[in-house]
Amino acid sequence: MSAFIKPQTPAAWAILGLAVVIVLLGLPLAYMGAELMFLGGSWYYVIIGIAVTAAGVLMAMGRTMGAMLYLAAVGVTWLWAFWEVGFDGWGLLPRVFGPSILAIAVLLCLPALRRMENAHSTSVREVA
């Protein structure tokens, strides 16, 4: 039995597609963040890269925790961006625009993720 969702509805396909996009963004962020960290740079990128990758994997498994983890990573990104550039709009834009757009998509997927998770936990209880 696979731990990943088997999409049968448009909402499940959207969640799986979004999860794949999030993983594909998180992996290079973690890898390049590790390179930067070893050169004496910020740990932020590797930590957020790992968190984003894990969030995408959890979402692909149909877990609400993945969405919450991604939203938490975006929250930390906003805090880091304010710490780094202050309230300079042009400085904030490249740091938070992309993650915030994906956060809106994740928020829109939350109700479907909750339904999927509830349906899965109900079916597991019926089998046991």
Side-chain angles (χ1 to χ4, degrees):
M1 181 165 113
S2 175
F4 296 102
I5 60 174
K6 294 174 182 68
Q8 298 175 350
T9 65
W13 279 106
I15 290 168
L16 184 59
L18 181 59
V20 168
V21 168
I22 289 173
V23 168
L24 290 176
L25 291 171
L27 287 172
L29 188 60
Y31 177 77
M32 289 184 262
E35 286 183 343
L36 180 63
M37 181 187 67
F38 287 123
L39 293 173
S42 173
W43 284 58
Y44 161 81
Y45 297 101
V46 69
I47 293 168
I48 292 298
I50 291 168
V52 166
T53 302
V57 170
L58 286 169
M59 284 181 64
M61 295 171 69
R63 306 283 303 273
T64 307
M65 180 58 71
M68 297 302 173
L69 181 58
Y70 182 79
L71 295 173
V74 171
V76 170
T77 297
W78 272 91
L79 293 174
W80 165 79
F82 279 125
W83 173 77
E84 194 161 81
V85 298
F87 290 95
D88 174 27
W90 288 113
L92 287 172
L93 187 67
R95 290 168 174 82
V96 298
F97 182 74
S100 297
I101 294 297
L102 283 177
I104 292 168
V106 168
L107 284 170
L108 291 172
C109 287
L110 262 176
L113 269 172
R114 286 193 176 125
R115 280 193 306 272
M116 290 169 52
E117 198 167 48
N118 289 338
H120 177 71
S121 64
T122 302
S123 66
V124 169
R125 280 189 225 131
E126 290 173 358
V127 170

